Amino acid sequence: MLLGKVVGTVVATRKDEKLEGFKFLVVKQLDIENRETGGYVVAADAVQAGIGDVVLYATGSSARQTVLTDKKPCDAVLMAVVDTWEINGEVKYRKE
Amino acid sequence: MLLGKVVGTVVATRKDEKLEGFKFLVVKQLDIENRETGGYVVAADAVQAGIGDVVLYATGSSARQTVLTDKKPCDAVLMAVVDTWEINGEVKYRKE
Amino acid sequence: MLLGKVVGTVVATRKDEKLEGFKFLVVKQLDIENRETGGYVVAADAVQAGIGDVVLYATGSSARQTVLTDKKPCDAVLMAVVDTWEINGEVKYRKE
Amino acid sequence: MLLGKVVGTVVATRKDEKLEGFKFLVVKQLDIENRETGGYVVAADAVQAGIGDVVLYATGSSARQTVLTDKKPCDAVLMAVVDTWEINGEVKYRKE
Amino acid sequence: MLLGKVVGTVVATRKDEKLEGFKFLVVKQLDIENRETGGYVVAADAVQAGIGDVVLYATGSSARQTVLTDKKPCDAVLMAVVDTWEINGEVKYRKE
């Protein structure tokens, strides 16, 4: 998994029928110092995340292992909202 | 998933028999500011996209989760035509 | 899928038993302007391609979705020989 | 698999229900000279690793082949704690 | 698949139970001119390769398609020892 920050949404009316009702979130990738890396992913949301939330996301076939994404043409999913992380005992992020 | 723009087509008469009738589209990857990244993918089209459309595409095994691509040797699929996306409340793209 | 050009062959007598009879082709990756990117892949050949052919190749689990590669330890397959492709109406390659 | 060093933990209360009880570790990627590459991954822990341990981790669908991660939306797992590795007969790391 | 050269071994006593008896080899990635690229992978060995051997390796779910690696948390496998390869008729490597 990688760390990311939810920064936006994508609206798509015309989509594969299996994706009806899906909400697509734009996630900027973070490094472990809580800095943006420049990478991003558009992910399905299995945890009701909101704009500004820091999350963990999984990609590839693992992204289809939630009830929401099972057998869907979806290769990225938010599977956790991060409360905090620390590196070598130093807190790098704490949810307010 | 990643954002992309459909810019072309690939014609291939000789192909794996499971791919008969497939239409291959060339998609330029976009970043979240709606700029081209330099990357591309050739994808199957599950949503009847056309040249110029901005789309979401999925890769890997997830690309085989549409009716069109099921059990096919295909690792990328357009699964949504994007209407609009916004980042931190700012619209970055709107379909005309 | 990505575009590539077949440039060589790999001979390997000692290989996993499931790969008996496999032919491995070396494929240089192409960008959409028909330039080499510097990347390559060694792929199984589901379409009887030859040296010099421009092809589409699929990677990952999708590479196992041909009759040839089913259940094989093979992560890349040529699944189409390209006749032509065009970008924004301009032909970038045409098979002679 | 790649080599990595466990450097931290991620706490996430709100997560996909299949991930209840999961412990997420932050792993810095190492090259074969035992230097950090700048890359990282957040992984599930199948081997009770601790901060400072050097480990092997697997990604993608292979990360779901442990009892812990089976059918979970998890794309990276620590599957071994490294005792030592050597390159061309030279020891690059030895666990203390 | 990619070309690589076996340069070392990793010893790991504590590992996922499915990996008992596994031998992990360190493989430096090669480009098609037989030069090291700087990349590496730690792979299981399905073909009894030795230090110095040039090999083909597969990654991802395809790495689990050998008898050795079936259903194992293993994302890379050596599936062939290379005898020779040539590019545009020129031999780039020949096993001694």
Side-chain angles (χ1 to χ4, degrees), chain B residues 57-87:
Chain B
Y57 64 93
T59 58
S61 59
S62 299
R64 298 196 309 273
Q65 305 294 319
T66 71
V67 174
L68 174 70
T69 54
D70 187 37
K71 299 197 174 71
K72 301 291 196 303
C74 167
D75 63 9
V77 72
L78 310 188
M79 19 65 77
V81 176
V82 173
D83 296 319
T84 182
W85 86 78
E86 57 179 58
I87 304 296

PDB file of all heavy atoms in Angstrom, chain B residues 57-87:
ATOM      1  N   TYR B  57      -8.897   4.906 -17.185  1.00  0.00           N
ATOM      2  CA  TYR B  57      -8.565   3.548 -17.618  1.00  0.00           C
ATOM      3  C   TYR B  57      -7.982   2.750 -16.460  1.00  0.00           C
ATOM      4  O   TYR B  57      -7.346   3.293 -15.573  1.00  0.00           O
ATOM      5  CB  TYR B  57      -7.629   3.553 -18.837  1.00  0.00           C
ATOM      6  CG  TYR B  57      -6.257   4.140 -18.625  1.00  0.00           C
ATOM      7  CD1 TYR B  57      -5.185   3.322 -18.269  1.00  0.00           C
ATOM      8  CD2 TYR B  57      -6.006   5.493 -18.803  1.00  0.00           C
ATOM      9  CE1 TYR B  57      -3.914   3.850 -18.099  1.00  0.00           C
ATOM     10  CE2 TYR B  57      -4.745   6.022 -18.634  1.00  0.00           C
ATOM     11  CZ  TYR B  57      -3.699   5.201 -18.272  1.00  0.00           C
ATOM     12  OH  TYR B  57      -2.442   5.727 -18.096  1.00  0.00           O
ATOM     13  N   ALA B  58      -8.253   1.455 -16.502  1.00  0.00           N
ATOM     14  CA  ALA B  58      -7.740   0.530 -15.498  1.00  0.00           C
ATOM     15  C   ALA B  58      -6.766  -0.416 -16.171  1.00  0.00           C
ATOM     16  O   ALA B  58      -6.920  -0.736 -17.352  1.00  0.00           O
ATOM     17  CB  ALA B  58      -8.874  -0.262 -14.862  1.00  0.00           C
ATOM     18  N   THR B  59      -5.771  -0.869 -15.428  1.00  0.00           N
ATOM     19  CA  THR B  59      -4.761  -1.758 -15.996  1.00  0.00           C
ATOM     20  C   THR B  59      -4.646  -3.042 -15.176  1.00  0.00           C
ATOM     21  O   THR B  59      -5.201  -3.166 -14.096  1.00  0.00           O
ATOM     22  CB  THR B  59      -3.394  -1.060 -16.070  1.00  0.00           C
ATOM     23  OG1 THR B  59      -3.026  -0.650 -14.754  1.00  0.00           O
ATOM     24  CG2 THR B  59      -3.423   0.134 -16.987  1.00  0.00           C
ATOM     25  N   GLY B  60      -3.897  -3.986 -15.719  1.00  0.00           N
ATOM     26  CA  GLY B  60      -3.668  -5.250 -15.028  1.00  0.00           C
ATOM     27  C   GLY B  60      -4.882  -6.140 -15.083  1.00  0.00           C
ATOM     28  O   GLY B  60      -5.706  -6.036 -15.992  1.00  0.00           O
ATOM     29  N   SER B  61      -4.996  -7.038 -14.110  1.00  0.00           N
ATOM     30  CA  SER B  61      -6.098  -8.005 -14.133  1.00  0.00           C
ATOM     31  C   SER B  61      -7.454  -7.306 -14.050  1.00  0.00           C
ATOM     32  O   SER B  61      -8.456  -7.824 -14.538  1.00  0.00           O
ATOM     33  CB  SER B  61      -5.952  -9.008 -12.998  1.00  0.00           C
ATOM     34  OG  SER B  61      -5.934  -8.357 -11.758  1.00  0.00           O
ATOM     35  N   SER B  62      -7.501  -6.124 -13.458  1.00  0.00           N
ATOM     36  CA  SER B  62      -8.763  -5.374 -13.370  1.00  0.00           C
ATOM     37  C   SER B  62      -9.294  -5.015 -14.754  1.00  0.00           C
ATOM     38  O   SER B  62     -10.496  -4.829 -14.932  1.00  0.00           O
ATOM     39  CB  SER B  62      -8.566  -4.113 -12.521  1.00  0.00           C
ATOM     40  OG  SER B  62      -8.174  -4.466 -11.206  1.00  0.00           O
ATOM     41  N   ALA B  63      -8.404  -4.938 -15.719  1.00  0.00           N
ATOM     42  CA  ALA B  63      -8.820  -4.614 -17.085  1.00  0.00           C
ATOM     43  C   ALA B  63      -9.613  -5.746 -17.727  1.00  0.00           C
ATOM     44  O   ALA B  63     -10.202  -5.572 -18.791  1.00  0.00           O
ATOM     45  CB  ALA B  63      -7.596  -4.281 -17.946  1.00  0.00           C
ATOM     46  N   ARG B  64      -9.646  -6.914 -17.090  1.00  0.00           N
ATOM     47  CA  ARG B  64     -10.409  -8.040 -17.644  1.00  0.00           C
ATOM     48  C   ARG B  64     -11.768  -8.212 -16.980  1.00  0.00           C
ATOM     49  O   ARG B  64     -12.454  -9.206 -17.229  1.00  0.00           O
ATOM     50  CB  ARG B  64      -9.608  -9.341 -17.496  1.00  0.00           C
ATOM     51  CG  ARG B  64      -8.297  -9.324 -18.258  1.00  0.00           C
ATOM     52  CD  ARG B  64      -7.727 -10.718 -18.424  1.00  0.00           C
ATOM     53  NE  ARG B  64      -7.643 -11.445 -17.194  1.00  0.00           N
ATOM     54  CZ  ARG B  64      -6.623 -11.414 -16.331  1.00  0.00           C
ATOM     55  NH1 ARG B  64      -5.588 -10.644 -16.583  1.00  0.00           N
ATOM     56  NH2 ARG B  64      -6.633 -12.122 -15.247  1.00  0.00           N
ATOM     57  N   GLN B  65     -12.174  -7.246 -16.178  1.00  0.00           N
ATOM     58  CA  GLN B  65     -13.422  -7.363 -15.427  1.00  0.00           C
ATOM     59  C   GLN B  65     -14.611  -6.730 -16.132  1.00  0.00           C
ATOM     60  O   GLN B  65     -15.632  -6.453 -15.507  1.00  0.00           O
ATOM     61  CB  GLN B  65     -13.260  -6.757 -14.025  1.00  0.00           C
ATOM     62  CG  GLN B  65     -12.107  -7.330 -13.231  1.00  0.00           C
ATOM     63  CD  GLN B  65     -12.273  -8.781 -12.865  1.00  0.00           C
ATOM     64  OE1 GLN B  65     -13.360  -9.191 -12.495  1.00  0.00           O
ATOM     65  NE2 GLN B  65     -11.227  -9.568 -12.977  1.00  0.00           N
ATOM     66  N   THR B  66     -14.505  -6.455 -17.419  1.00  0.00           N
ATOM     67  CA  THR B  66     -15.681  -6.000 -18.162  1.00  0.00           C
ATOM     68  C   THR B  66     -16.166  -7.169 -19.022  1.00  0.00           C
ATOM     69  O   THR B  66     -15.435  -8.122 -19.269  1.00  0.00           O
ATOM     70  CB  THR B  66     -15.356  -4.798 -19.083  1.00  0.00           C
ATOM     71  OG1 THR B  66     -14.552  -5.250 -20.175  1.00  0.00           O
ATOM     72  CG2 THR B  66     -14.609  -3.701 -18.342  1.00  0.00           C
ATOM     73  N   VAL B  67     -17.409  -7.077 -19.470  1.00  0.00           N
ATOM     74  CA  VAL B  67     -17.955  -8.131 -20.338  1.00  0.00           C
ATOM     75  C   VAL B  67     -17.084  -8.259 -21.589  1.00  0.00           C
ATOM     76  O   VAL B  67     -16.757  -9.350 -22.045  1.00  0.00           O
ATOM     77  CB  VAL B  67     -19.413  -7.802 -20.733  1.00  0.00           C
ATOM     78  CG1 VAL B  67     -19.929  -8.802 -21.756  1.00  0.00           C
ATOM     79  CG2 VAL B  67     -20.293  -7.785 -19.489  1.00  0.00           C
ATOM     80  N   LEU B  68     -16.669  -7.127 -22.118  1.00  0.00           N
ATOM     81  CA  LEU B  68     -15.849  -7.102 -23.332  1.00  0.00           C
ATOM     82  C   LEU B  68     -14.526  -7.837 -23.167  1.00  0.00           C
ATOM     83  O   LEU B  68     -14.086  -8.570 -24.056  1.00  0.00           O
ATOM     84  CB  LEU B  68     -15.555  -5.637 -23.704  1.00  0.00           C
ATOM     85  CG  LEU B  68     -14.602  -5.391 -24.871  1.00  0.00           C
ATOM     86  CD1 LEU B  68     -15.251  -5.794 -26.184  1.00  0.00           C
ATOM     87  CD2 LEU B  68     -14.147  -3.941 -24.907  1.00  0.00           C
ATOM     88  N   THR B  69     -13.873  -7.652 -22.032  1.00  0.00           N
ATOM     89  CA  THR B  69     -12.484  -8.095 -21.884  1.00  0.00           C
ATOM     90  C   THR B  69     -12.322  -9.379 -21.067  1.00  0.00           C
ATOM     91  O   THR B  69     -11.202  -9.861 -20.899  1.00  0.00           O
ATOM     92  CB  THR B  69     -11.651  -6.969 -21.215  1.00  0.00           C
ATOM     93  OG1 THR B  69     -12.312  -6.596 -19.985  1.00  0.00           O
ATOM     94  CG2 THR B  69     -11.507  -5.768 -22.102  1.00  0.00           C
ATOM     95  N   ASP B  70     -13.411  -9.943 -20.593  1.00  0.00           N
ATOM     96  CA  ASP B  70     -13.345 -11.133 -19.740  1.00  0.00           C
ATOM     97  C   ASP B  70     -12.523 -12.258 -20.383  1.00  0.00           C
ATOM     98  O   ASP B  70     -12.801 -12.670 -21.504  1.00  0.00           O
ATOM     99  CB  ASP B  70     -14.777 -11.622 -19.457  1.00  0.00           C
ATOM    100  CG  ASP B  70     -14.798 -12.748 -18.444  1.00  0.00           C
ATOM    101  OD1 ASP B  70     -13.992 -12.725 -17.498  1.00  0.00           O
ATOM    102  OD2 ASP B  70     -15.630 -13.661 -18.611  1.00  0.00           O
ATOM    103  N   LYS B  71     -11.504 -12.711 -19.657  1.00  0.00           N
ATOM    104  CA  LYS B  71     -10.629 -13.823 -20.083  1.00  0.00           C
ATOM    105  C   LYS B  71      -9.842 -13.511 -21.364  1.00  0.00           C
ATOM    106  O   LYS B  71      -9.376 -14.424 -22.051  1.00  0.00           O
ATOM    107  CB  LYS B  71     -11.414 -15.125 -20.241  1.00  0.00           C
ATOM    108  CG  LYS B  71     -12.083 -15.597 -18.965  1.00  0.00           C
ATOM    109  CD  LYS B  71     -12.485 -17.055 -19.033  1.00  0.00           C
ATOM    110  CE  LYS B  71     -13.023 -17.556 -17.704  1.00  0.00           C
ATOM    111  NZ  LYS B  71     -14.343 -17.027 -17.332  1.00  0.00           N
ATOM    112  N   LYS B  72      -9.703 -12.239 -21.703  1.00  0.00           N
ATOM    113  CA  LYS B  72      -8.952 -11.862 -22.896  1.00  0.00           C
ATOM    114  C   LYS B  72      -7.516 -11.448 -22.525  1.00  0.00           C
ATOM    115  O   LYS B  72      -7.283 -10.928 -21.435  1.00  0.00           O
ATOM    116  CB  LYS B  72      -9.630 -10.658 -23.579  1.00  0.00           C
ATOM    117  CG  LYS B  72     -11.067 -10.902 -23.994  1.00  0.00           C
ATOM    118  CD  LYS B  72     -11.197 -11.878 -25.133  1.00  0.00           C
ATOM    119  CE  LYS B  72     -12.578 -11.820 -25.779  1.00  0.00           C
ATOM    120  NZ  LYS B  72     -13.707 -12.062 -24.881  1.00  0.00           N
ATOM    121  N   PRO B  73      -6.555 -11.649 -23.451  1.00  0.00           N
ATOM    122  CA  PRO B  73      -5.185 -11.191 -23.187  1.00  0.00           C
ATOM    123  C   PRO B  73      -5.057  -9.686 -23.375  1.00  0.00           C
ATOM    124  O   PRO B  73      -4.418  -9.200 -24.295  1.00  0.00           O
ATOM    125  CB  PRO B  73      -4.350 -11.966 -24.213  1.00  0.00           C
ATOM    126  CG  PRO B  73      -5.284 -12.242 -25.338  1.00  0.00           C
ATOM    127  CD  PRO B  73      -6.660 -12.376 -24.735  1.00  0.00           C
ATOM    128  N   CYS B  74      -5.665  -8.957 -22.486  1.00  0.00           N
ATOM    129  CA  CYS B  74      -5.816  -7.502 -22.581  1.00  0.00           C
ATOM    130  C   CYS B  74      -5.526  -6.916 -21.206  1.00  0.00           C
ATOM    131  O   CYS B  74      -6.170  -7.315 -20.225  1.00  0.00           O
ATOM    132  CB  CYS B  74      -7.260  -7.211 -23.011  1.00  0.00           C
ATOM    133  SG  CYS B  74      -7.726  -5.496 -22.823  1.00  0.00           S
ATOM    134  N   ASP B  75      -4.571  -5.995 -21.112  1.00  0.00           N
ATOM    135  CA  ASP B  75      -4.167  -5.497 -19.799  1.00  0.00           C
ATOM    136  C   ASP B  75      -4.512  -4.037 -19.543  1.00  0.00           C
ATOM    137  O   ASP B  75      -4.005  -3.441 -18.591  1.00  0.00           O
ATOM    138  CB  ASP B  75      -2.675  -5.756 -19.566  1.00  0.00           C
ATOM    139  CG  ASP B  75      -1.788  -5.013 -20.562  1.00  0.00           C
ATOM    140  OD1 ASP B  75      -2.300  -4.177 -21.317  1.00  0.00           O
ATOM    141  OD2 ASP B  75      -0.570  -5.282 -20.574  1.00  0.00           O
ATOM    142  N   ALA B  76      -5.366  -3.447 -20.392  1.00  0.00           N
ATOM    143  CA  ALA B  76      -5.788  -2.062 -20.160  1.00  0.00           C
ATOM    144  C   ALA B  76      -7.164  -1.851 -20.779  1.00  0.00           C
ATOM    145  O   ALA B  76      -7.404  -2.302 -21.901  1.00  0.00           O
ATOM    146  CB  ALA B  76      -4.790  -1.083 -20.779  1.00  0.00           C
ATOM    147  N   VAL B  77      -8.039  -1.173 -20.055  1.00  0.00           N
ATOM    148  CA  VAL B  77      -9.391  -0.946 -20.568  1.00  0.00           C
ATOM    149  C   VAL B  77      -9.882   0.448 -20.170  1.00  0.00           C
ATOM    150  O   VAL B  77      -9.617   0.913 -19.057  1.00  0.00           O
ATOM    151  CB  VAL B  77     -10.371  -2.022 -20.033  1.00  0.00           C
ATOM    152  CG1 VAL B  77     -10.682  -1.830 -18.555  1.00  0.00           C
ATOM    153  CG2 VAL B  77     -11.668  -2.050 -20.837  1.00  0.00           C
ATOM    154  N   LEU B  78     -10.553   1.098 -21.114  1.00  0.00           N
ATOM    155  CA  LEU B  78     -11.251   2.348 -20.786  1.00  0.00           C
ATOM    156  C   LEU B  78     -12.551   1.947 -20.115  1.00  0.00           C
ATOM    157  O   LEU B  78     -13.365   1.252 -20.724  1.00  0.00           O
ATOM    158  CB  LEU B  78     -11.568   3.139 -22.054  1.00  0.00           C
ATOM    159  CG  LEU B  78     -10.420   3.369 -23.019  1.00  0.00           C
ATOM    160  CD1 LEU B  78     -10.873   4.328 -24.119  1.00  0.00           C
ATOM    161  CD2 LEU B  78      -9.226   3.921 -22.304  1.00  0.00           C
ATOM    162  N   MET B  79     -12.751   2.386 -18.871  1.00  0.00           N
ATOM    163  CA  MET B  79     -13.975   1.970 -18.188  1.00  0.00           C
ATOM    164  C   MET B  79     -14.888   3.147 -17.845  1.00  0.00           C
ATOM    165  O   MET B  79     -15.967   2.945 -17.306  1.00  0.00           O
ATOM    166  CB  MET B  79     -13.680   1.114 -16.951  1.00  0.00           C
ATOM    167  CG  MET B  79     -12.301   1.180 -16.360  1.00  0.00           C
ATOM    168  SD  MET B  79     -11.925   2.827 -15.683  1.00  0.00           S
ATOM    169  CE  MET B  79     -12.840   2.775 -14.154  1.00  0.00           C
ATOM    170  N   ALA B  80     -14.499   4.366 -18.200  1.00  0.00           N
ATOM    171  CA  ALA B  80     -15.372   5.526 -17.962  1.00  0.00           C
ATOM    172  C   ALA B  80     -14.952   6.692 -18.837  1.00  0.00           C
ATOM    173  O   ALA B  80     -13.754   6.912 -19.057  1.00  0.00           O
ATOM    174  CB  ALA B  80     -15.319   5.934 -16.488  1.00  0.00           C
ATOM    175  N   VAL B  81     -15.953   7.424 -19.340  1.00  0.00           N
ATOM    176  CA  VAL B  81     -15.695   8.696 -20.022  1.00  0.00           C
ATOM    177  C   VAL B  81     -15.913   9.799 -18.985  1.00  0.00           C
ATOM    178  O   VAL B  81     -16.958   9.846 -18.330  1.00  0.00           O
ATOM    179  CB  VAL B  81     -16.653   8.890 -21.213  1.00  0.00           C
ATOM    180  CG1 VAL B  81     -16.438  10.258 -21.852  1.00  0.00           C
ATOM    181  CG2 VAL B  81     -16.448   7.780 -22.245  1.00  0.00           C
ATOM    182  N   VAL B  82     -14.923  10.631 -18.802  1.00  0.00           N
ATOM    183  CA  VAL B  82     -14.961  11.643 -17.739  1.00  0.00           C
ATOM    184  C   VAL B  82     -15.793  12.850 -18.170  1.00  0.00           C
ATOM    185  O   VAL B  82     -15.605  13.389 -19.263  1.00  0.00           O
ATOM    186  CB  VAL B  82     -13.529  12.083 -17.377  1.00  0.00           C
ATOM    187  CG1 VAL B  82     -13.543  13.248 -16.400  1.00  0.00           C
ATOM    188  CG2 VAL B  82     -12.743  10.905 -16.806  1.00  0.00           C
ATOM    189  N   ASP B  83     -16.716  13.259 -17.297  1.00  0.00           N
ATOM    190  CA  ASP B  83     -17.469  14.498 -17.527  1.00  0.00           C
ATOM    191  C   ASP B  83     -16.699  15.691 -16.996  1.00  0.00           C
ATOM    192  O   ASP B  83     -16.588  16.721 -17.631  1.00  0.00           O
ATOM    193  CB  ASP B  83     -18.829  14.433 -16.817  1.00  0.00           C
ATOM    194  CG  ASP B  83     -19.718  13.342 -17.367  1.00  0.00           C
ATOM    195  OD1 ASP B  83     -19.756  13.165 -18.601  1.00  0.00           O
ATOM    196  OD2 ASP B  83     -20.354  12.641 -16.556  1.00  0.00           O
ATOM    197  N   THR B  84     -16.187  15.516 -15.795  1.00  0.00           N
ATOM    198  CA  THR B  84     -15.471  16.622 -15.161  1.00  0.00           C
ATOM    199  C   THR B  84     -14.646  16.077 -14.004  1.00  0.00           C
ATOM    200  O   THR B  84     -14.917  15.002 -13.490  1.00  0.00           O
ATOM    201  CB  THR B  84     -16.467  17.685 -14.634  1.00  0.00           C
ATOM    202  OG1 THR B  84     -15.738  18.778 -14.071  1.00  0.00           O
ATOM    203  CG2 THR B  84     -17.377  17.129 -13.566  1.00  0.00           C
ATOM    204  N   TRP B  85     -13.582  16.794 -13.651  1.00  0.00           N
ATOM    205  CA  TRP B  85     -12.936  16.483 -12.375  1.00  0.00           C
ATOM    206  C   TRP B  85     -12.480  17.773 -11.735  1.00  0.00           C
ATOM    207  O   TRP B  85     -12.224  18.755 -12.411  1.00  0.00           O
ATOM    208  CB  TRP B  85     -11.821  15.456 -12.490  1.00  0.00           C
ATOM    209  CG  TRP B  85     -10.440  15.902 -12.844  1.00  0.00           C
ATOM    210  CD1 TRP B  85      -9.507  16.498 -12.031  1.00  0.00           C
ATOM    211  CD2 TRP B  85      -9.791  15.738 -14.108  1.00  0.00           C
ATOM    212  NE1 TRP B  85      -8.340  16.705 -12.708  1.00  0.00           N
ATOM    213  CE2 TRP B  85      -8.474  16.247 -13.976  1.00  0.00           C
ATOM    214  CE3 TRP B  85     -10.174  15.191 -15.338  1.00  0.00           C
ATOM    215  CZ2 TRP B  85      -7.558  16.255 -15.037  1.00  0.00           C
ATOM    216  CZ3 TRP B  85      -9.264  15.189 -16.379  1.00  0.00           C
ATOM    217  CH2 TRP B  85      -7.984  15.711 -16.231  1.00  0.00           C
ATOM    218  N   GLU B  86     -12.430  17.757 -10.417  1.00  0.00           N
ATOM    219  CA  GLU B  86     -11.951  18.938  -9.715  1.00  0.00           C
ATOM    220  C   GLU B  86     -10.998  18.556  -8.599  1.00  0.00           C
ATOM    221  O   GLU B  86     -11.091  17.482  -8.007  1.00  0.00           O
ATOM    222  CB  GLU B  86     -13.113  19.780  -9.190  1.00  0.00           C
ATOM    223  CG  GLU B  86     -14.078  19.098  -8.274  1.00  0.00           C
ATOM    224  CD  GLU B  86     -15.160  20.067  -7.802  1.00  0.00           C
ATOM    225  OE1 GLU B  86     -15.856  20.629  -8.666  1.00  0.00           O
ATOM    226  OE2 GLU B  86     -15.280  20.272  -6.582  1.00  0.00           O
ATOM    227  N   ILE B  87     -10.076  19.467  -8.351  1.00  0.00           N
ATOM    228  CA  ILE B  87      -9.037  19.283  -7.331  1.00  0.00           C
ATOM    229  C   ILE B  87      -9.150  20.461  -6.367  1.00  0.00           C
ATOM    230  O   ILE B  87      -9.077  21.611  -6.790  1.00  0.00           O
ATOM    231  CB  ILE B  87      -7.628  19.281  -7.979  1.00  0.00           C
ATOM    232  CG1 ILE B  87      -7.534  18.222  -9.072  1.00  0.00           C
ATOM    233  CG2 ILE B  87      -6.546  19.111  -6.921  1.00  0.00           C
ATOM    234  CD1 ILE B  87      -7.674  16.795  -8.613  1.00  0.00           C
TER     235      ILE B  87
END
